Amino acid sequence: QVQLVESGGGLVQAGDSLRLSCEASGFTFSNYVMGWFRQAPGKEREFVAAISWRGARTYYTDSVKGRFTIIRDNTRNTVYLRMNSLKPADTAVYFCAAKRNPPIDSGSSYEYWGQGTQVTVAS
């Protein structure tokens, strides 16, 4: 049974940092591209970041470049999203997802999804 379980969300002030975690099970984690998406109220889901199988390549949407970092630990079947200098515009439910194949700069073809974790950034 495939599971992606996100954690680490919460309520923070603008300028603060958070680290989201996503623990995977039920599939061969190291064979999958991992991505983070977010969805704010009333908005479409947005592709935020992705990381290749072994972590050598990463992708970030422009609005988070320089502030967010995606890393993965294949020994722990976990992908992380480190978020610095948070802004109210980052408020959303954050989802992790997995897909078998590249490209990592595309938000399409993700097969497995987590339930999401809420991030709220107060001004």
Side-chain angles (χ1 to χ4, degrees), residues 17 45 51 58 73 82 99-100 106 121:
S17 298
R45 187 173 60 200
I51 189 165
T58 57
D73 184 344
R82 176 68 177 180
K99 67 175 180 179
R100 183 65 180 88
S106 169
V121 185

Side-chain angles (χ1 to χ4, degrees), residues 46-77:
E46 179 185 21
F47 178 42
V48 175
I51 189 165
S52 58
W53 300 317
R54 293 177 181 81
R57 291 176 292 120
T58 57
Y59 164 84
Y60 300 95
T61 194
D62 286 346
S63 63
V64 308
K65 283 181 181 176
R67 299 188 299 122
F68 289 13
T69 304
I70 185 171
I71 61 172
R72 66 189 296 160
D73 184 344
N74 287 348
T75 67
R76 298 179 183 271
N77 288 355

Side-chain angles (χ1 to χ4, degrees), residues 31-123:
N31 289 350
Y32 280 72
V33 171
M34 297 301 298
W36 284 97
F37 294 75
R38 65 186 180 186
Q39 188 164 21
K43 295 188 176 182
E44 294 188 356
R45 187 173 60 200
E46 179 185 21
F47 178 42
V48 175
I51 189 165
S52 58
W53 300 317
R54 293 177 181 81
R57 291 176 292 120
T58 57
Y59 164 84
Y60 300 95
T61 194
D62 286 346
S63 63
V64 308
K65 283 181 181 176
R67 299 188 299 122
F68 289 13
T69 304
I70 185 171
I71 61 172
R72 66 189 296 160
D73 184 344
N74 287 348
T75 67
R76 298 179 183 271
N77 288 355
T78 301
V79 61
Y80 305 94
L81 186 68
R82 176 68 177 180
M83 306 185 294
N84 295 330
S85 303
L86 283 161
K87 305 175 182 179
D90 295 317
T91 295
V93 177
Y94 283 72
F95 301 88
C96 71
K99 67 175 180 179
R100 183 65 180 88
N101 294 312
I104 68 165
D105 61 351
S106 169
S108 62
S109 304
Y110 277 83
E111 304 165 47
Y112 306 134
W113 293 85
Q115 294 298 308
T117 185
Q118 176 71 47
V119 172
T120 303
V121 185
S123 57

Side-chain angles (χ1 to χ4, degrees), residues 1-4 24-27 112:
Q1 179 184 0
V2 171
Q3 279 194 309
L4 293 173
S25 60
F27 62 100
Y112 306 134

